Amino acid sequence: MYHVAGVDVGSGTTKVVIMGEGRRVLGVSELRSGADLEAAAVEGLEKACRVARVDHARIAYVAATGYGRYQVGFRDVQITEITCHARGAHYLFPGTRCVLDVGAQCTRAINVDFHGRVRKFRSNDKCAAGAGRFLERVAKALEVDLEQLGELSLRSKEPQPISSVCAVLAESEVINHVSQERKTEDILNGVHRSIVDRLAALLRQVGLESEVTLTGGVARNIGIVRLLEARLERQVNVSSDAPLAGALGAAVLALERMRKLGAEGTHLYVREGQA
Amino acid sequence: MIVAGIDVGSTATKGVLLHADGRILGRALVPTGANVVRAAERAFQEALRTAGIEDWEVCFIVGTGYGRYKVQFGHAQITEISCHAKGAQFLMPGTRTVLDIGGQDTKAIKVGEAGEVLDFCMNDKCAAGTGRFLEAAAGVLGLDLAEIGDVSLRSRDPLRVTNVCTVFVESEIVSHLAKGRKVEDILRGVHNAIAARSLALLRRVGYEPGLAFTGGVSRNRGMVRALEERLGSPVHASEDSPFMGAIGAALYARERAEHAAAPGKA
């Protein structure tokens, strides 16, 4: 019996999933990436192993993904986050045809086939527009907890429009609204709408199809989820594990690798020195 | 005859009083803030005070800038693109292109011999390459916006700043600091990045030497140097450069007033 790990080192948080042979999730961890990405990956793996009650030495294969994937010293393979999010979304919702991954610094729309393979994708990693970092800054400016942001935005009765796409310029608009004594929930609703507009535009570029799955850290924001559903006029798949989708996909692909290597007769060792 | 130009920008509002003979009698710069109408009034009053002139003596006022319709005492409104071109050609004859870097947008303008706009191109969609970008960099480094240009000139080994987005550049600067890089080298990299973006914008209108650098960022000597290096030709900036929009507006005000006063008219 062996286990694999999927390690997703994002710009905001590092996610690790330990998976058993039957694609069962045994343990997960999430922690802030910080400045030292390699340390974050090591710590994430240790944490997830503890949760899974799995000995390090029994991790037969490690697939790393995310923007810090090359910083994962103990990886066996690195896979782009696009491939991993597609597989992860498919793992969570097998009917997924479109994946929208909204992370701290990057947003991606991915069109996937029935097996969760990437058909087409578009991403924005050049600027903070529509990404989680923008929400973080707005939360700070309005002195609201990031976790409450979405819920609060849904209480709005009179949304205040945000016309700038740029996160920095939008922030000034937010501050202007504050100085005009607009309600926090109304400003937040406008902010969420502006992000949803960007996401919907990205999604259209890859071809909007029936089942949309939201992944990445911003999927935890209920305001984004509800407004996106209203914008797309359809239900959107969201799981509480949505932020783990990249790591889940990496783990699934690690298992596939293992199977392939096994079929080719490659001898697999349980690695030493990691106990 | 005295006329005035009021340039209401996103960050600062500028007021200029001009005599019919072309002398600048007074000027003022105040932060725009949230109350745009009041900022326009304050800039005008402040300019009057520096010139020692009373408001009834001013016979024509032109508003420009993004808040030009908030200049409630203005007689006409003209876009800041026309005004920057007009002002630059007046104060710096021979100007072929104008680069206006303001608080929240950047414009490249191709100018004709009479100060008319031949073509222009702007970035007002994002804060990259604008004054806001420099402000963010100064903020992260704990420096004053007014000093970062001079600090950047001390650099011997400029860093390459790879991000375009202001938000991401802040993190990039933090990570450079964590690696123990020198503040001047980081800043020079930031200025070089803006120069590169400016050149791209200038090329879109057809850059020609004879560049007038206007807008608030033109006060930054580090930016002037970075641009000169990137362009390989001199960049003209003076203490009037931040007021160029208002100066151009005042020149238009003079034309209108003269036109109205011409025999057979009005």
Side-chain angles (χ1 to χ4, degrees):
Chain A
M1 193 180 69
Y2 59 81
H3 308 300
V4 298
V7 182
D8 178 5
V9 184
S11 53
T13 54
T14 292
K15 286 80 57 175
V16 179
V17 167
I18 309 290
M19 205 175 257
E21 272 176 82
R23 305 220 313 178
R24 211 160 64 86
V25 174
L26 304 172
V28 303
S29 74
E30 256 186 89
L31 57 116
R32 287 202 74 81
S33 297
D36 189 345
L37 300 179
E38 183 163 13
V42 170
E43 200 189 328
L45 184 74
E46 278 171 6
K47 242 171 117 181
C49 283
R50 264 202 308 278
V51 176
R53 298 175 187 233
V54 168
D55 194 330
H56 278 193
R58 298 207 68 85
I59 306 290
Y61 208 82
V62 178
T65 187
Y67 115 113
R69 59 184 176 276
Y70 295 102
Q71 255 52 250
V72 183
F74 53 84
R75 72 188 189 273
D76 293 297
V77 66
Q78 62 277 335
I79 309 170
T80 70
E81 49 269 50
I82 295 146
T83 308
C84 289
H85 272 274
R87 286 307 170 97
H90 184 260
Y91 174 86
L92 293 169
F93 299 97
T96 299
R97 301 309 305 282
C98 268
V99 182
L100 194 57
D101 165 34
V102 189
Q105 292 205 3
C106 186
T107 51
R108 300 182 191 91
I110 313 163
N111 188 315
V112 301
D113 70 8
F114 290 111
H115 307 287
R117 284 187 296 231
V118 179
R119 286 172 55 191
K120 198 177 172 191
F121 77 93
R122 274 291 156 84
S123 66
N124 172 26
D125 57 359
K126 292 269 175 290
C127 93
R133 190 75 77 214
F134 175 40
L135 282 172
E136 278 175 30
R137 290 173 68 116
V138 168
K140 216 170 165 190
L142 293 174
E143 294 172 338
V144 177
D145 262 359
L146 191 59
E147 288 74 31
Q148 297 170 356
L149 218 56
E151 215 164 296
L152 199 55
S153 77
L154 293 175
R155 276 189 233 154
S156 165
K157 298 221 158 64
E158 209 185 323
Q160 294 300 320
I162 301 285
S163 56
S164 295
V165 169
C166 170
V168 175
L169 301 183
E171 212 176 296
S172 322
E173 280 189 66
V174 166
I175 290 159
N176 263 344
H177 282 316
V178 171
S179 71
Q180 283 164 27
E181 291 174 9
R182 308 280 186 218
K183 283 193 188 143
T184 304
E185 59 256 41
D186 292 338
I187 302 171
L188 279 177
N189 192 290
V191 167
H192 283 67
R193 273 172 204 275
S194 80
I195 292 178
V196 162
D197 283 348
R198 300 269 312 165
L199 299 180
L202 207 59
L203 212 43
R204 294 230 158 76
Q205 285 179 38
V206 299
L208 179 56
E209 290 193 49
S210 53
E211 227 176 279
V212 178
T213 301
L214 189 60
T215 68
V218 175
R220 289 230 169 95
N221 180 315
I222 189 73
I224 293 287
V225 176
R226 293 286 169 263
L227 290 167
L228 187 66
E229 287 182 329
R231 188 80 163 72
L232 301 176
E233 297 173 338
R234 73 191 64 198
Q235 225 184 323
V236 169
N237 293 330
V238 185
S239 148
S240 57
D241 289 333
L244 297 170
L248 281 169
V252 167
L253 289 163
L255 277 180
E256 278 183 27
R257 272 284 179 112
M258 284 291 288
R259 246 176 246 131
K260 233 179 182 173
L261 292 173
E264 283 167 6
T266 309
H267 195 71
L268 283 170
Y269 281 104
V270 167
R271 278 178 291 164
E272 288 170 23
Q274 284 196 5
Chain B
M1 184 177 68
I2 298 163
V3 293
I6 310 290
D7 178 7
V8 186
S10 58
T11 308
T13 296
K14 286 76 66 178
V16 163
L17 293 173
L18 186 82
H19 192 271
D21 63 12
R23 273 181 303 135
I24 292 170
L25 302 175
R27 26 177 228 200
L29 187 146
V30 302
T32 300
N35 193 332
V36 182
V37 173
R38 203 185 320 149
E41 277 163 8
R42 278 180 46 219
F44 183 49
Q45 293 302 332
E46 187 75 15
L48 287 170
R49 208 177 50 77
T50 58
I53 291 168
E54 291 192 308
D55 53 1
W56 60 269
E57 295 177 79
V58 180
C59 61
F60 207 95
I61 301 166
V62 167
T64 187
Y66 104 112
R68 60 186 174 276
Y69 291 100
K70 304 277 174 149
V71 184
Q72 290 175 340
F73 49 91
H75 302 101
Q77 295 80 33
I78 296 173
T79 71
E80 61 270 33
I81 294 151
S82 301
C83 290
H84 276 271
K86 189 83 169 174
Q89 192 62 282
F90 176 72
L91 287 180
M92 299 160 181
T95 293
R96 310 293 288 271
T97 35
V98 175
L99 178 67
D100 165 30
I101 307 188
Q104 290 196 11
D105 62 17
T106 305
K107 300 179 192 83
I109 311 165
K110 200 171 169 75
V111 188
E113 278 172 19
E116 76 276 25
V117 176
L118 299 178
D119 194 7
F120 77 94
C121 192
M122 66 195 285
N123 166 32
D124 58 353
K125 293 270 174 292
C126 109
T130 69
R132 186 52 73 80
F133 189 86
L134 285 172
E135 214 178 299
V140 173
L141 294 168
L143 293 172
D144 202 49
L145 186 57
E147 60 181 333
I148 57 170
D150 288 346
V151 173
S152 79
L153 291 175
R154 293 205 293 264
S155 166
R156 284 164 190 278
D157 185 17
L159 290 172
R160 228 173 78 81
V161 170
T162 51
N163 280 297
V164 170
C165 175
T166 310
V167 175
F168 295 168
V169 164
E170 285 181 8
S171 335
E172 194 177 343
I173 291 174
V174 171
S175 76
H176 279 316
L177 282 175
K179 285 183 209 145
R181 301 305 190 119
K182 284 189 188 148
V183 172
E184 57 259 39
D185 293 338
I186 298 172
L187 277 175
R188 191 57 198 263
V190 168
H191 285 75
N192 286 344
I194 299 179
R197 275 190 75 84
S198 304
L199 179 59
L201 204 65
L202 285 166
R203 282 204 176 120
R204 282 162 63 185
V205 298
Y207 169 69
E208 284 179 58
L211 180 81
F213 184 19
T214 68
V217 177
S218 63
R219 266 179 299 195
N220 178 321
R221 290 198 301 153
M223 199 60 238
V224 174
R225 173 80 66 81
L227 276 171
E228 283 182 331
E229 265 177 25
R230 187 83 200 184
L231 297 170
S233 57
V235 168
H236 305 290
S238 75
E239 55 174 14
D240 290 319
S241 293
F243 295 90
M244 208 57 93
I247 292 168
L251 289 166
Y252 274 112
R254 184 176 70 166
E255 276 180 17
R256 299 277 174 103
E258 280 169 355
H259 185 71
K265 298 268 177 185

